[in-house]
Short mmCIF file of all heavy atoms in Angstrom, two decimals:
data_model
loop_
_atom_site.label_atom_id
_atom_site.label_comp_id
_atom_site.label_asym_id
_atom_site.label_seq_id
_atom_site.Cartn_x
_atom_site.Cartn_y
_atom_site.Cartn_z
N LEU A 315 119.20 -85.03 164.11
CA LEU A 315 120.28 -84.30 164.76
C LEU A 315 120.60 -83.00 164.03
O LEU A 315 120.83 -81.95 164.67
CB LEU A 315 121.54 -85.17 164.84
CG LEU A 315 121.48 -86.33 165.84
CD1 LEU A 315 122.71 -87.19 165.73
CD2 LEU A 315 121.33 -85.80 167.25
N VAL A 316 120.61 -83.03 162.70
CA VAL A 316 120.85 -81.82 161.92
C VAL A 316 119.74 -80.81 162.16
O VAL A 316 119.99 -79.61 162.35
CB VAL A 316 120.99 -82.17 160.41
CG1 VAL A 316 120.98 -80.91 159.56
CG2 VAL A 316 122.25 -82.98 160.16
N MET A 317 118.50 -81.26 162.17
CA MET A 317 117.35 -80.35 162.43
C MET A 317 117.46 -79.76 163.84
O MET A 317 117.19 -78.58 164.04
CB MET A 317 116.03 -81.09 162.25
CG MET A 317 115.77 -81.54 160.82
SD MET A 317 115.68 -80.16 159.69
CE MET A 317 114.08 -79.56 160.05
N LEU A 318 117.84 -80.56 164.82
CA LEU A 318 117.99 -80.09 166.20
C LEU A 318 119.10 -79.04 166.28
O LEU A 318 118.95 -78.01 166.94
CB LEU A 318 118.29 -81.27 167.14
CG LEU A 318 118.42 -80.91 168.61
CD1 LEU A 318 117.10 -80.36 169.14
CD2 LEU A 318 118.85 -82.12 169.41
N PHE A 319 120.20 -79.28 165.59
CA PHE A 319 121.31 -78.34 165.56
C PHE A 319 120.87 -77.01 164.93
O PHE A 319 121.15 -75.93 165.46
CB PHE A 319 122.51 -78.93 164.79
CG PHE A 319 123.65 -77.98 164.64
CD1 PHE A 319 124.47 -77.69 165.72
CD2 PHE A 319 123.89 -77.35 163.42
CE1 PHE A 319 125.52 -76.79 165.59
CE2 PHE A 319 124.93 -76.45 163.29
CZ PHE A 319 125.75 -76.17 164.37
N LEU A 320 120.18 -77.07 163.80
CA LEU A 320 119.70 -75.85 163.14
C LEU A 320 118.71 -75.10 164.03
O LEU A 320 118.74 -73.86 164.10
CB LEU A 320 119.07 -76.19 161.79
CG LEU A 320 120.05 -76.63 160.70
CD1 LEU A 320 119.29 -77.07 159.46
CD2 LEU A 320 121.01 -75.51 160.36
N PHE A 321 117.85 -75.83 164.70
CA PHE A 321 116.89 -75.21 165.61
C PHE A 321 117.63 -74.48 166.74
O PHE A 321 117.30 -73.36 167.10
CB PHE A 321 115.93 -76.26 166.17
CG PHE A 321 114.94 -75.70 167.14
CD1 PHE A 321 113.86 -74.93 166.70
CD2 PHE A 321 115.07 -75.91 168.52
CE1 PHE A 321 112.95 -74.41 167.58
CE2 PHE A 321 114.17 -75.38 169.41
CZ PHE A 321 113.10 -74.63 168.95
N ALA A 322 118.66 -75.12 167.28
CA ALA A 322 119.44 -74.51 168.36
C ALA A 322 120.16 -73.25 167.88
O ALA A 322 120.22 -72.24 168.59
CB ALA A 322 120.45 -75.52 168.91
N VAL A 323 120.68 -73.26 166.66
CA VAL A 323 121.36 -72.09 166.11
C VAL A 323 120.37 -70.95 165.92
O VAL A 323 120.66 -69.79 166.23
CB VAL A 323 122.08 -72.45 164.78
CG1 VAL A 323 122.54 -71.20 164.06
CG2 VAL A 323 123.24 -73.39 165.05
N ILE A 324 119.19 -71.26 165.42
CA ILE A 324 118.17 -70.22 165.21
C ILE A 324 117.74 -69.62 166.54
O ILE A 324 117.63 -68.40 166.69
CB ILE A 324 116.97 -70.80 164.43
CG1 ILE A 324 117.40 -71.12 162.99
CG2 ILE A 324 115.80 -69.83 164.45
CD1 ILE A 324 116.37 -71.89 162.20
N VAL A 325 117.51 -70.46 167.55
CA VAL A 325 117.12 -69.96 168.87
C VAL A 325 118.23 -69.09 169.45
O VAL A 325 117.97 -68.03 170.02
CB VAL A 325 116.77 -71.13 169.82
CG1 VAL A 325 116.64 -70.66 171.26
CG2 VAL A 325 115.48 -71.80 169.37
N LEU A 326 119.47 -69.51 169.30
CA LEU A 326 120.60 -68.74 169.81
C LEU A 326 120.66 -67.36 169.14
O LEU A 326 120.95 -66.36 169.80
CB LEU A 326 121.91 -69.49 169.59
CG LEU A 326 123.16 -68.79 170.11
CD1 LEU A 326 123.08 -68.65 171.62
CD2 LEU A 326 124.40 -69.55 169.71
N GLN A 327 120.37 -67.30 167.86
CA GLN A 327 120.38 -66.02 167.15
C GLN A 327 119.28 -65.08 167.65
O GLN A 327 119.47 -63.87 167.69
CB GLN A 327 120.24 -66.23 165.63
CG GLN A 327 121.48 -66.82 164.99
CD GLN A 327 122.68 -65.89 165.17
OE1 GLN A 327 122.60 -64.71 164.92
NE2 GLN A 327 123.79 -66.44 165.61
N TYR A 328 118.14 -65.63 168.03
CA TYR A 328 117.07 -64.80 168.58
C TYR A 328 117.41 -64.33 169.99
O TYR A 328 117.15 -63.19 170.35
CB TYR A 328 115.73 -65.55 168.60
CG TYR A 328 115.01 -65.50 167.29
CD1 TYR A 328 114.92 -66.63 166.49
CD2 TYR A 328 114.42 -64.33 166.85
CE1 TYR A 328 114.26 -66.59 165.28
CE2 TYR A 328 113.76 -64.27 165.64
CZ TYR A 328 113.68 -65.41 164.86
OH TYR A 328 113.03 -65.36 163.67
N VAL A 329 117.97 -65.23 170.78
CA VAL A 329 118.29 -64.90 172.16
C VAL A 329 119.50 -63.98 172.24
O VAL A 329 119.54 -63.04 173.03
CB VAL A 329 118.53 -66.19 172.98
CG1 VAL A 329 119.04 -65.87 174.37
CG2 VAL A 329 117.25 -66.99 173.06
N CYS A 330 120.50 -64.24 171.41
CA CYS A 330 121.75 -63.51 171.48
C CYS A 330 122.27 -63.26 170.07
O CYS A 330 123.12 -63.99 169.58
CB CYS A 330 122.74 -64.33 172.30
SG CYS A 330 124.29 -63.50 172.57
N PRO A 331 121.79 -62.24 169.38
CA PRO A 331 122.23 -62.01 168.01
C PRO A 331 123.69 -61.54 167.96
O PRO A 331 124.15 -60.81 168.83
CB PRO A 331 121.29 -60.92 167.50
CG PRO A 331 120.80 -60.26 168.71
CD PRO A 331 120.80 -61.28 169.80
N GLY A 332 124.39 -61.96 166.93
CA GLY A 332 125.79 -61.54 166.74
C GLY A 332 126.76 -62.34 167.58
O GLY A 332 126.38 -63.07 168.49
N THR A 333 128.03 -62.18 167.30
CA THR A 333 129.05 -62.92 168.04
C THR A 333 129.50 -62.17 169.27
O THR A 333 130.14 -62.74 170.14
CB THR A 333 130.27 -63.17 167.13
OG1 THR A 333 130.75 -61.91 166.68
CG2 THR A 333 129.91 -64.06 165.96
N GLU A 334 129.19 -60.88 169.38
CA GLU A 334 129.65 -60.10 170.52
C GLU A 334 128.95 -60.49 171.81
O GLU A 334 129.46 -60.23 172.88
CB GLU A 334 129.41 -58.61 170.26
CG GLU A 334 130.27 -58.08 169.14
CD GLU A 334 130.02 -56.60 168.91
OE1 GLU A 334 129.30 -56.00 169.72
OE2 GLU A 334 130.53 -56.09 167.93
N CYS A 335 127.80 -61.09 171.73
CA CYS A 335 127.04 -61.43 172.93
C CYS A 335 127.84 -62.34 173.85
O CYS A 335 127.92 -62.10 175.05
CB CYS A 335 125.72 -62.09 172.53
SG CYS A 335 124.65 -62.42 173.94
N GLN A 336 128.44 -63.37 173.32
CA GLN A 336 129.21 -64.28 174.15
C GLN A 336 130.42 -63.55 174.75
O GLN A 336 130.77 -63.76 175.90
CB GLN A 336 129.70 -65.49 173.33
CG GLN A 336 128.61 -66.46 172.97
CD GLN A 336 127.86 -66.03 171.71
OE1 GLN A 336 128.28 -65.13 171.00
NE2 GLN A 336 126.73 -66.67 171.45
N LEU A 337 131.06 -62.67 173.97
CA LEU A 337 132.21 -61.94 174.48
C LEU A 337 131.80 -60.97 175.59
O LEU A 337 132.51 -60.81 176.57
CB LEU A 337 132.89 -61.19 173.34
CG LEU A 337 133.49 -62.05 172.22
CD1 LEU A 337 134.01 -61.16 171.10
CD2 LEU A 337 134.60 -62.92 172.78
N LEU A 338 130.64 -60.33 175.43
CA LEU A 338 130.17 -59.41 176.46
C LEU A 338 129.86 -60.13 177.76
O LEU A 338 130.12 -59.62 178.85
CB LEU A 338 128.94 -58.64 175.99
CG LEU A 338 129.18 -57.63 174.87
CD1 LEU A 338 127.85 -57.02 174.44
CD2 LEU A 338 130.14 -56.56 175.31
N ARG A 339 129.30 -61.32 177.65
CA ARG A 339 129.01 -62.09 178.87
C ARG A 339 130.31 -62.45 179.58
O ARG A 339 130.38 -62.39 180.80
CB ARG A 339 128.25 -63.36 178.51
CG ARG A 339 126.82 -63.13 178.22
CD ARG A 339 126.08 -64.44 178.11
NE ARG A 339 124.79 -64.20 177.52
CZ ARG A 339 124.16 -65.05 176.73
NH1 ARG A 339 124.71 -66.21 176.44
NH2 ARG A 339 122.98 -64.76 176.24
N LEU A 340 131.33 -62.82 178.84
CA LEU A 340 132.60 -63.16 179.46
C LEU A 340 133.24 -61.92 180.08
O LEU A 340 133.80 -61.99 181.17
CB LEU A 340 133.55 -63.78 178.42
CG LEU A 340 133.13 -65.16 177.89
CD1 LEU A 340 134.09 -65.61 176.80
CD2 LEU A 340 133.08 -66.18 179.01
N ARG A 341 133.15 -60.76 179.44
CA ARG A 341 133.70 -59.53 179.99
C ARG A 341 132.95 -59.11 181.26
O ARG A 341 133.53 -58.60 182.19
CB ARG A 341 133.60 -58.40 178.98
CG ARG A 341 134.77 -58.35 178.06
CD ARG A 341 134.75 -57.02 177.33
NE ARG A 341 135.17 -57.25 175.96
CZ ARG A 341 134.81 -56.55 174.94
NH1 ARG A 341 133.97 -55.55 175.10
NH2 ARG A 341 135.25 -56.81 173.74
N ALA A 342 131.64 -59.31 181.24
CA ALA A 342 130.84 -58.92 182.40
C ALA A 342 131.21 -59.73 183.63
O ALA A 342 131.06 -59.26 184.75
CB ALA A 342 129.36 -59.07 182.09
N LEU A 343 131.67 -60.95 183.44
CA LEU A 343 132.04 -61.79 184.56
C LEU A 343 133.45 -61.52 185.06
O LEU A 343 133.81 -61.93 186.14
CB LEU A 343 131.91 -63.27 184.17
CG LEU A 343 130.50 -63.74 183.81
CD1 LEU A 343 130.52 -65.18 183.33
CD2 LEU A 343 129.56 -63.58 184.99
N SER A 344 134.25 -60.81 184.28
CA SER A 344 135.63 -60.55 184.69
C SER A 344 135.65 -59.47 185.78
O SER A 344 134.82 -58.58 185.80
CB SER A 344 136.46 -60.10 183.49
OG SER A 344 136.07 -58.81 183.08
N PRO A 345 136.63 -59.54 186.70
CA PRO A 345 136.68 -58.56 187.80
C PRO A 345 136.94 -57.13 187.33
O PRO A 345 136.49 -56.19 187.94
CB PRO A 345 137.84 -59.05 188.68
CG PRO A 345 138.40 -60.26 188.04
CD PRO A 345 137.64 -60.56 186.80
N ALA A 346 137.65 -56.95 186.21
CA ALA A 346 137.94 -55.59 185.73
C ALA A 346 136.66 -54.89 185.31
O ALA A 346 136.51 -53.69 185.51
CB ALA A 346 138.92 -55.66 184.57
N ALA A 347 135.72 -55.60 184.71
CA ALA A 347 134.47 -54.99 184.27
C ALA A 347 133.62 -54.57 185.46
O ALA A 347 132.94 -53.56 185.42
CB ALA A 347 133.70 -55.95 183.37
N ALA A 348 133.67 -55.36 186.52
CA ALA A 348 132.87 -55.04 187.70
C ALA A 348 133.43 -53.83 188.44
O ALA A 348 132.70 -53.13 189.11
CB ALA A 348 132.80 -56.24 188.63
N ALA A 349 134.73 -53.57 188.30
CA ALA A 349 135.35 -52.48 189.03
C ALA A 349 134.93 -51.11 188.49
O ALA A 349 134.80 -50.17 189.25
CB ALA A 349 136.87 -52.61 188.96
N ASP A 350 134.72 -50.97 187.18
CA ASP A 350 134.39 -49.68 186.60
C ASP A 350 133.14 -49.79 185.74
O ASP A 350 133.21 -50.16 184.58
CB ASP A 350 135.56 -49.16 185.75
CG ASP A 350 135.31 -47.75 185.24
OD1 ASP A 350 134.32 -47.13 185.67
OD2 ASP A 350 136.11 -47.28 184.41
N PRO A 351 131.98 -49.46 186.30
CA PRO A 351 130.75 -49.59 185.52
C PRO A 351 130.63 -48.58 184.39
O PRO A 351 129.77 -48.70 183.54
CB PRO A 351 129.64 -49.37 186.56
CG PRO A 351 130.29 -48.56 187.62
CD PRO A 351 131.74 -48.97 187.64
N TYR A 352 131.49 -47.54 184.37
CA TYR A 352 131.42 -46.52 183.34
C TYR A 352 132.36 -46.79 182.17
O TYR A 352 132.44 -45.99 181.26
CB TYR A 352 131.71 -45.14 183.95
CG TYR A 352 130.74 -44.78 185.03
CD1 TYR A 352 131.11 -44.83 186.36
CD2 TYR A 352 129.43 -44.45 184.72
CE1 TYR A 352 130.20 -44.53 187.36
CE2 TYR A 352 128.52 -44.16 185.71
CZ TYR A 352 128.92 -44.20 187.02
OH TYR A 352 128.02 -43.90 188.00
N ARG A 353 133.09 -47.90 182.22
CA ARG A 353 134.00 -48.23 181.13
C ARG A 353 133.20 -48.63 179.90
O ARG A 353 132.28 -49.43 179.99
CB ARG A 353 134.92 -49.38 181.55
CG ARG A 353 136.07 -49.58 180.57
CD ARG A 353 136.88 -50.76 180.94
NE ARG A 353 136.17 -51.92 180.44
CZ ARG A 353 136.34 -53.16 180.86
NH1 ARG A 353 137.18 -53.41 181.81
NH2 ARG A 353 135.67 -54.14 180.33
#
């Protein structure tokens, strides 16, 4: 389980480096972000 967890963390870092990635995905789904693409 520990090895699986570490593997998942490493894959997540390759797919989405940094903590901002999750925040950007949440912002992209919000209606305010869709209203102004130049923001």
Side-chain angles (χ1 to χ4, degrees):
L315 288 174
V316 170
M317 294 299 283
L318 182 64
F319 176 75
L320 289 174
F321 179 74
V323 168
I324 292 171
V325 168
L326 181 63
Q327 288 298 312
Y328 277 108
V329 172
C330 184
T333 57
E334 293 180 9
C335 185
Q336 289 83 12
L337 297 174
L338 291 176
R339 283 190 193 147
L340 293 175
R341 273 194 218 152
L343 297 175
S344 70
D350 186 9
Y352 300 105
R353 192 184 81 200

